[in-house]
Amino acid sequence: NSELTWAPVAKQELGYWQVQVKSVRVGDTVLEDCKDGSCRAILDTGTSLLGVPRQAARSMHKMLARHVPNQDQYDDVSKIDC
């Protein structure tokens, strides 16, 4: 749990909710790409889109993807934990 923290909008003149990103972590792993605090993010509660720089996409995808079990080993696929 964490408290709500307000962040100043970066480049307000662009007209959207762009903020500075201090770091990005998946679980306990901090991604190197934004470790220096130079990244920015656009926030929109109306979408589930996650856009990242191309050079970060592959490593981030590997960290976020979960193992999908072989369905052939289950008699009832509804028992697979999603």
Side-chain angles (χ1 to χ4, degrees):
N1 291 341
S2 61
E3 293 183 25
L4 178 64
T5 303
W6 296 100
V9 175
K11 297 192 176 189
Q12 185 176 1
E13 66 276 9
L14 295 177
Y16 44 81
W17 296 97
Q18 184 184 95
V19 296
Q20 180 181 1
V21 175
K22 293 180 180 178
S23 69
V24 176
R25 89 177 67 227
V26 177
D28 293 331
T29 305
V30 176
L31 276 65
E32 293 293 323
D33 300 288
C34 294
K35 197 172 185 178
D36 64 358
S38 64
C39 291
R40 296 184 187 266
I42 298 170
L43 309 175
D44 181 0
T45 59
T47 185
S48 60
L49 176 68
L50 174 63
V52 298
R54 185 174 300 223
Q55 66 271 18
R58 182 167 288 167
S59 62
M60 187 178 285
H61 180 264
K62 286 180 182 178
M63 296 174 80
L64 292 171
R66 68 173 190 84
H67 172 73
V68 178
N70 183 351
Q71 292 183 10
D72 295 337
Q73 65 186 5
Y74 291 91
D75 295 328
D76 182 3
V77 292
S78 67
K79 304 289 185 203
I80 298 174
D81 180 24
C82 296

